Amino acid sequence: MPGCSIRAIWILNNLDNVVYSRRFPVVERRWRLACKSEDNSLEEGKFQYSVLSLLPSDGEIAAAFIERKQREGSVRGYGLRVGLSLKGSDSWVDDPITRHIISLHINKEEEAENYLVWPVILHIKGLYRILILPFLEPRYVKMYERLSQRPDCGSSSGTVENGVPSENLSSNLLDLPCITGAFMVAHALGDVMTGDFLEPEVVVNPSPSVGGLLDSLTGSIGISSISARAKPVAAPVAAATMAGNAVVGAVTSDAPKSSSRPIDKDALRTFISSSMPFGTPLDLNFSNISAIKANGFSASDVPPSDLKQPAWKPYLYRGKQRILFTIHETVYAAMYDRDEIPDTISVSGQINCRAELEGLPDISFPLTGLNTARIEVLSFHPCAQVPEQGVDKQSLMFSPPLGNFLLLRYQAFCGLGPPIKGFYQLSMVSEDEGAFLFKLKLMEGYRSPLTMEFCTVTMPFPRRRVVSFDGNPSIGTVTTTEHSIEWKIITSGRGVAGKSIEATFPGTIRFASRPAQTLSSISKSIQGSVFDEDSDVEVESSTNMVNMEEFLMEKMNKDLPAVDLEEPFCWEAYNYAKVSFKILGGTLSGMSIDPKSVNIYPSVKAPVEFFAQASSGDYILWNTLGKCPHAASPKV
């Protein structure tokens, strides 16, 4: 991970106490030298804060973190400037990236001096807050302080002022490898702490022979074939089922998870010492680190003298050779069926790979479908090189690690159109009874070999108890729970391929009655405490929570009645239906791999298998007759 060095790591619990910290003296020496060099070229009097040449203590970090939560409370935690934002604060910069890259103000009373510690990567995992301080030259810290004092929040990205590129926080940070690397470190540490080790899923088509089928099944869950295995790899601490899991962490949520698992400090120390000696991240793969610790190295397992063995492949594979590729796509959609609000649909995908090849070969192949997929974002595994780019071709070359790994992530448009489109209507007949109607089209314009394996539509009613419903769908079956209705249009094992389906479902639903309550006051209290910029209820009454998601989760998890009598179904007066599905046989973006175009150097005969599937993420049908949230398009 070139260009990335870590100065310090702090882990805080939910009581804002530092439970683990680690400093890297080698990187700190570089930082002190950089500070001395920078002091000669900067006039400190122009700045409100001084650059701290020495790392603060654990107590100072904890105090500064608590002070920041009070300073950035309520909607300011989103990095948005509001009426109560102060100059020098993260929210004054008015950039959402400050939700994840924060600043800490260290007040040393004995020196009568205020110090700025920035950029600090904040990652929330379970009950813990992970703070990573990467090495970044002091001039960037001064750049951030200038932005936090400017009334205009900095100029827009890409503009030039008086011949000098403008200062814009996001555009500057996202181009720095140390920021990306620090995020990778934070996520890896979070997985180690919670035991959340998930290998990317690699699905293969079973071979006709018994041995091939067994190898395919074991290979799909990250185990080499029985007859020929590589060096043993330590099993993950916490097993997890990957079936049906598409994109793992393309957008990692900061929402806290309930976990009381204590930190295994010995495992954490071992991982940090092995994965980032002297503060430079080399290999953040926990399976590799565990395997090296458990098995060591043998004198016979030595790579050829003319080749350099990469850090991500500590052991060489021996056995039957093959390459497996799997493309997983997750489809996100918001369907409104309104003239004034356009429907939105996007695809987030990843290419997983398992290369069971002897030695240290290089693999290359062209990605097809880049033009039709309209790729917006591409990110690669560190083992990959991208030497050639074109309108509809991007040549990719990589030296594969051992086992399953994520080769490529991307975001794209849905080239084939929505797999499920139509509308959902729900209206109140009375306070305790509603009438609904679905009219949907499935797989319109989709052709074989694309197959919809299953499709389910769920109507959630988290604040009302379902007593009964009446209605007959044109296809599928219906089941009810206490707080939802589930319509199974296509059940697993009865997939549909090569044709479109029209499905309708009219009906009525009845809820349990509830005592009359004055809801307007409840609505005002909730909205006031969360969205009013002049109220900082969060600071006093929400147990020192970091961001607004935690506050919302606490409010929603309480037994609150509905907000508005006109639509008493979902929290915040919204009601919707959620669609779940899986499509096999191809991708929705158009991204693909031709197995015949895969080249291996040095040349070797190894079969190449390819599998693709798409599944639903948040695929929402908003009630056409109700309220719905949406982002307004900017006027050009």
Side-chain angles (χ1 to χ4, degrees), residues 45-117:
K46 293 183 178 180
F47 300 98
Q48 178 181 353
Y49 296 95
S50 301
V51 174
L52 189 59
S53 59
L54 298 176
L55 284 171
S57 65
D58 291 353
E60 290 172 334
I61 285 293
F65 188 72
I66 294 173
E67 184 270 335
R68 182 195 181 272
K69 284 165 52 174
Q70 296 172 346
R71 182 179 72 244
E72 304 293 345
S74 192
V75 293
R76 287 168 285 162
Y78 268 113
L80 304 176
R81 184 191 292 188
V82 294
L84 292 180
S85 296
L86 303 175
K87 274 191 176 182
S89 66
D90 292 338
S91 60
W92 186 266
V93 181
D94 207 17
D95 193 320
I97 201 171
T98 58
R99 290 181 60 198
H100 311 284
I101 302 176
I102 67 174
S103 65
L104 298 178
H105 297 168
I106 308 297
N107 184 14
K108 290 185 176 291
E109 296 181 356
E110 66 278 5
E111 301 177 13
E113 192 80 55
N114 291 325
Y115 293 96
L116 177 67
V117 179

Side-chain angles (χ1 to χ4, degrees), residues 428 562-570 573-575 623 625-627:
M428 288 292 292
V563 174
D564 199 344
L565 272 178
E566 283 72 20
E567 293 177 5
F569 297 104
C570 289
Y574 298 136
N575 48 82
N623 179 16
L625 304 178
K627 298 178 182 179

